Amino acid sequence: MARGKKLDDKTREEIKAFYASCGNMRETARKFNVSPSVVKKIVDEEKDEVEQLRTQKKQEWIEEAWKTINLYMQHVQDPKVIARTSARDSAILIGTLHDKMLKAQELELKRQELELKRKEIEEATDTTTRVVIVNDVDEMRKVLNERNQNNSDN
């Protein structure tokens, strides 16, 4: 692309969509024949929109993967396939699918955990609460004694 030439809105949207699906600025730049800095500028202009697109693309990919897994599961449950499959291959298949399902659950739990942490951080900025953790028992006793003395003096 010629230096300084303005990109049309369609190309900008295509760049955002492609970046959302691959997540790689250099690859996106090569595909659209622009510099990585141009891709970064476009992505940064509407960061929330691009992040939303990336999340949507990931979800679409996950749904497609589950469709494929379910089709394969139907295929391997066919009695003819079972009869031709060795015990070793069946064990590998079951182990792989089990691993993928556990990984999906783990990722969902991590997503939920991150969402909770984000909410906690947002709430923490709204209120000014301070938590002090004392690791030294003697220091903790000293502080408690001082507080008790102050309370008895009042």
Side-chain angles (χ1 to χ4, degrees), residues 86-99:
S86 71
R88 178 184 172 274
D89 289 344
S90 296
I92 291 171
L93 171 68
I94 292 167
T96 301
L97 290 175
H98 185 276
D99 183 53

PDB file of all heavy atoms in Angstrom, residues 86-99:
ATOM      1  N   SER A  86      -8.981 -51.020  17.487  1.00  0.00           N
ATOM      2  CA  SER A  86      -8.229 -51.737  18.521  1.00  0.00           C
ATOM      3  C   SER A  86      -8.491 -51.106  19.895  1.00  0.00           C
ATOM      4  O   SER A  86      -8.914 -49.948  19.988  1.00  0.00           O
ATOM      5  CB  SER A  86      -6.733 -51.679  18.211  1.00  0.00           C
ATOM      6  OG  SER A  86      -6.241 -50.374  18.418  1.00  0.00           O
ATOM      7  N   ALA A  87      -8.222 -51.855  20.927  1.00  0.00           N
ATOM      8  CA  ALA A  87      -8.399 -51.358  22.298  1.00  0.00           C
ATOM      9  C   ALA A  87      -7.480 -50.160  22.541  1.00  0.00           C
ATOM     10  O   ALA A  87      -7.871 -49.189  23.198  1.00  0.00           O
ATOM     11  CB  ALA A  87      -8.111 -52.463  23.303  1.00  0.00           C
ATOM     12  N   ARG A  88      -6.274 -50.228  21.996  1.00  0.00           N
ATOM     13  CA  ARG A  88      -5.308 -49.131  22.162  1.00  0.00           C
ATOM     14  C   ARG A  88      -5.857 -47.831  21.558  1.00  0.00           C
ATOM     15  O   ARG A  88      -5.832 -46.777  22.180  1.00  0.00           O
ATOM     16  CB  ARG A  88      -3.984 -49.504  21.494  1.00  0.00           C
ATOM     17  CG  ARG A  88      -2.932 -48.428  21.569  1.00  0.00           C
ATOM     18  CD  ARG A  88      -1.668 -48.859  20.789  1.00  0.00           C
ATOM     19  NE  ARG A  88      -0.739 -47.779  20.689  1.00  0.00           N
ATOM     20  CZ  ARG A  88      -0.762 -46.843  19.737  1.00  0.00           C
ATOM     21  NH1 ARG A  88      -1.693 -46.858  18.807  1.00  0.00           N
ATOM     22  NH2 ARG A  88       0.134 -45.884  19.721  1.00  0.00           N
ATOM     23  N   ASP A  89      -6.379 -47.924  20.316  1.00  0.00           N
ATOM     24  CA  ASP A  89      -6.926 -46.735  19.655  1.00  0.00           C
ATOM     25  C   ASP A  89      -8.137 -46.186  20.413  1.00  0.00           C
ATOM     26  O   ASP A  89      -8.309 -44.973  20.535  1.00  0.00           O
ATOM     27  CB  ASP A  89      -7.305 -47.050  18.206  1.00  0.00           C
ATOM     28  CG  ASP A  89      -6.091 -47.264  17.322  1.00  0.00           C
ATOM     29  OD1 ASP A  89      -4.972 -46.879  17.737  1.00  0.00           O
ATOM     30  OD2 ASP A  89      -6.255 -47.817  16.214  1.00  0.00           O
ATOM     31  N   SER A  90      -8.970 -47.080  20.912  1.00  0.00           N
ATOM     32  CA  SER A  90     -10.139 -46.647  21.699  1.00  0.00           C
ATOM     33  C   SER A  90      -9.708 -45.924  22.967  1.00  0.00           C
ATOM     34  O   SER A  90     -10.272 -44.896  23.329  1.00  0.00           O
ATOM     35  CB  SER A  90     -11.007 -47.846  22.069  1.00  0.00           C
ATOM     36  OG  SER A  90     -11.541 -48.432  20.908  1.00  0.00           O
ATOM     37  N   ALA A  91      -8.675 -46.454  23.636  1.00  0.00           N
ATOM     38  CA  ALA A  91      -8.182 -45.825  24.866  1.00  0.00           C
ATOM     39  C   ALA A  91      -7.610 -44.443  24.569  1.00  0.00           C
ATOM     40  O   ALA A  91      -7.835 -43.486  25.324  1.00  0.00           O
ATOM     41  CB  ALA A  91      -7.126 -46.710  25.516  1.00  0.00           C
ATOM     42  N   ILE A  92      -6.880 -44.331  23.475  1.00  0.00           N
ATOM     43  CA  ILE A  92      -6.322 -43.026  23.088  1.00  0.00           C
ATOM     44  C   ILE A  92      -7.445 -42.032  22.812  1.00  0.00           C
ATOM     45  O   ILE A  92      -7.404 -40.887  23.260  1.00  0.00           O
ATOM     46  CB  ILE A  92      -5.386 -43.176  21.870  1.00  0.00           C
ATOM     47  CG1 ILE A  92      -4.117 -43.925  22.272  1.00  0.00           C
ATOM     48  CG2 ILE A  92      -5.057 -41.807  21.266  1.00  0.00           C
ATOM     49  CD1 ILE A  92      -3.232 -44.320  21.099  1.00  0.00           C
ATOM     50  N   LEU A  93      -8.449 -42.473  22.076  1.00  0.00           N
ATOM     51  CA  LEU A  93      -9.587 -41.607  21.751  1.00  0.00           C
ATOM     52  C   LEU A  93     -10.292 -41.129  23.020  1.00  0.00           C
ATOM     53  O   LEU A  93     -10.527 -39.931  23.201  1.00  0.00           O
ATOM     54  CB  LEU A  93     -10.573 -42.357  20.852  1.00  0.00           C
ATOM     55  CG  LEU A  93     -11.901 -41.638  20.612  1.00  0.00           C
ATOM     56  CD1 LEU A  93     -11.682 -40.394  19.769  1.00  0.00           C
ATOM     57  CD2 LEU A  93     -12.903 -42.558  19.976  1.00  0.00           C
ATOM     58  N   ILE A  94     -10.607 -42.060  23.899  1.00  0.00           N
ATOM     59  CA  ILE A  94     -11.314 -41.707  25.132  1.00  0.00           C
ATOM     60  C   ILE A  94     -10.469 -40.758  25.983  1.00  0.00           C
ATOM     61  O   ILE A  94     -10.969 -39.762  26.501  1.00  0.00           O
ATOM     62  CB  ILE A  94     -11.695 -42.982  25.919  1.00  0.00           C
ATOM     63  CG1 ILE A  94     -12.762 -43.749  25.146  1.00  0.00           C
ATOM     64  CG2 ILE A  94     -12.178 -42.640  27.328  1.00  0.00           C
ATOM     65  CD1 ILE A  94     -12.999 -45.157  25.654  1.00  0.00           C
ATOM     66  N   GLY A  95      -9.193 -41.055  26.107  1.00  0.00           N
ATOM     67  CA  GLY A  95      -8.309 -40.195  26.897  1.00  0.00           C
ATOM     68  C   GLY A  95      -8.197 -38.797  26.323  1.00  0.00           C
ATOM     69  O   GLY A  95      -8.242 -37.799  27.052  1.00  0.00           O
ATOM     70  N   THR A  96      -8.076 -38.701  25.018  1.00  0.00           N
ATOM     71  CA  THR A  96      -7.963 -37.391  24.362  1.00  0.00           C
ATOM     72  C   THR A  96      -9.236 -36.585  24.549  1.00  0.00           C
ATOM     73  O   THR A  96      -9.188 -35.399  24.913  1.00  0.00           O
ATOM     74  CB  THR A  96      -7.659 -37.567  22.862  1.00  0.00           C
ATOM     75  OG1 THR A  96      -6.446 -38.301  22.722  1.00  0.00           O
ATOM     76  CG2 THR A  96      -7.529 -36.228  22.172  1.00  0.00           C
ATOM     77  N   LEU A  97     -10.387 -37.207  24.305  1.00  0.00           N
ATOM     78  CA  LEU A  97     -11.650 -36.486  24.469  1.00  0.00           C
ATOM     79  C   LEU A  97     -11.873 -36.066  25.922  1.00  0.00           C
ATOM     80  O   LEU A  97     -12.314 -34.946  26.198  1.00  0.00           O
ATOM     81  CB  LEU A  97     -12.814 -37.346  23.976  1.00  0.00           C
ATOM     82  CG  LEU A  97     -12.861 -37.557  22.468  1.00  0.00           C
ATOM     83  CD1 LEU A  97     -13.976 -38.521  22.101  1.00  0.00           C
ATOM     84  CD2 LEU A  97     -13.033 -36.234  21.744  1.00  0.00           C
ATOM     85  N   HIS A  98     -11.537 -36.950  26.836  1.00  0.00           N
ATOM     86  CA  HIS A  98     -11.678 -36.622  28.259  1.00  0.00           C
ATOM     87  C   HIS A  98     -10.796 -35.429  28.610  1.00  0.00           C
ATOM     88  O   HIS A  98     -11.220 -34.486  29.290  1.00  0.00           O
ATOM     89  CB  HIS A  98     -11.312 -37.846  29.109  1.00  0.00           C
ATOM     90  CG  HIS A  98     -11.545 -37.654  30.566  1.00  0.00           C
ATOM     91  ND1 HIS A  98     -10.644 -37.043  31.395  1.00  0.00           N
ATOM     92  CD2 HIS A  98     -12.612 -37.973  31.343  1.00  0.00           C
ATOM     93  CE1 HIS A  98     -11.125 -36.991  32.615  1.00  0.00           C
ATOM     94  NE2 HIS A  98     -12.316 -37.558  32.613  1.00  0.00           N
ATOM     95  N   ASP A  99      -9.568 -35.451  28.123  1.00  0.00           N
ATOM     96  CA  ASP A  99      -8.635 -34.353  28.369  1.00  0.00           C
ATOM     97  C   ASP A  99      -9.168 -33.034  27.817  1.00  0.00           C
ATOM     98  O   ASP A  99      -9.096 -31.997  28.474  1.00  0.00           O
ATOM     99  CB  ASP A  99      -7.282 -34.682  27.739  1.00  0.00           C
ATOM    100  CG  ASP A  99      -6.240 -33.623  28.025  1.00  0.00           C
ATOM    101  OD1 ASP A  99      -6.042 -33.284  29.216  1.00  0.00           O
ATOM    102  OD2 ASP A  99      -5.626 -33.122  27.059  1.00  0.00           O
TER     103      ASP A  99
END
